[in-house]
Amino acid sequence: MPGRQGDRTDDPFGGRRPTSHERSAGRPWDASYQDGPAPWDTGRPQPAVVRVAAEGGFTGSVLDAGCGTGENALHIAELGLPVLGVDVAETALETAREKAAGRGLEADFLAADALELGKIDRSFDTVLDCGLFHTFDAEERHPYIASLASVTDPGATLYVLCFSDEGPDLGPHPLGLEELNAAFTPTSGWSIAAVVRDRIETRFHDHGAPAWLATIDRV
């Protein structure tokens, strides 16, 4: 999820400003993977992502923003699409690269700050955000959305799967539908095409936590 960890002893945030989630937790994203499987790391791609893939939703070059240990990115790679997964958690990226090698899949994984994706100097036709957007506070959302716009051209598609504030047994950082609508607007370079209710599987939800799956067009 959102920069390079660098020297974890001297600066666990690698010179970048910690995200709101990291400031609240008091530790970097990477620590979640060092301690064992992260709560959101189920060892398989999210069912919503599998469904989008089966429906042909991923096309061209694909970016997985906040890829974690790579299960979603590797599922997309199985379709024969070029995919880049980015994250700030070096431990997760190392695991993702090992999975790709072990499965004989072509997928790239790069340490990068989701708030500064323009530094990648690449453009993508499809972007997946699975569980990243909802971790940003209101002040971080605008630069993140601008960062996504910097690596996409008009006509690109963004899929956002985030925790919803509707229903029982909510996940952390749940978002209201109005927050999605307010964030992705033509002024910011995006237009929401559809939002449906879905689920996000975690290690602590028997049947997944309530979620929104948004399909968003780059304009």
Side-chain angles (χ1 to χ4, degrees):
M1 298 183 174
R4 194 172 186 103
Q5 293 294 339
D7 189 328
R8 298 172 185 164
T9 301
D10 297 335
D11 180 5
F13 303 105
R16 64 183 172 83
R17 183 174 184 268
T19 65
S20 57
H21 175 88
E22 290 172 317
R23 295 195 299 273
S24 175
R27 61 181 194 166
W29 283 109
D30 197 61
S32 298
Y33 297 96
Q34 294 176 27
D35 295 343
W40 53 85
D41 188 1
T42 63
R44 56 183 177 270
Q46 286 290 331
V49 174
V50 174
R51 187 169 61 254
V52 170
E55 294 171 351
F58 296 104
T59 60
S61 58
V62 182
L63 173 67
D64 182 358
C67 65
T69 63
E71 288 296 339
N72 292 321
L74 292 173
H75 181 75
I76 295 167
E78 289 179 346
L79 304 177
L81 295 172
V83 57
L84 172 67
V86 299
D87 208 296
V88 294
E90 294 278 11
T91 302
L93 291 169
E94 291 167 6
T95 300
R97 294 182 187 114
E98 291 171 359
K99 288 180 180 179
R103 300 176 193 180
L105 293 172
E106 293 289 335
D108 295 324
F109 294 97
L110 176 69
D113 189 339
L115 299 177
E116 298 183 358
L117 291 171
K119 293 182 177 180
I120 298 175
D121 196 28
R122 287 177 58 178
S123 183
F124 301 90
D125 301 297
T126 314
V127 179
L128 171 65
D129 174 328
C130 180
L132 177 57
F133 180 69
H134 62 225
T135 70
F136 293 126
D137 66 15
E139 292 183 356
E140 292 166 326
R141 290 172 197 164
H142 177 72
Y144 173 57
I145 291 168
S147 177
L148 292 172
S150 73
V151 292
T152 52
D153 295 319
T157 301
L158 166 67
Y159 295 100
V160 174
L161 183 65
C162 62
F163 287 129
S164 162
D165 65 350
E166 295 187 0
D169 200 15
L170 300 178
H173 310 295
L175 293 178
L177 184 58
E178 69 281 359
E179 292 178 274
L180 276 175
N181 288 325
F184 294 96
T185 65
T187 302
S188 68
W190 300 93
S191 177
I192 295 180
V195 181
V196 297
R197 290 177 175 82
D198 216 302
R199 313 290 292 183
I200 294 179
E201 289 190 346
T202 79
R203 289 164 48 79
F204 300 109
H205 291 82
D206 290 338
H207 303 289
W212 302 115
L213 174 61
T215 302
I216 307 171
D217 297 327
R218 179 75 163 88
V219 297

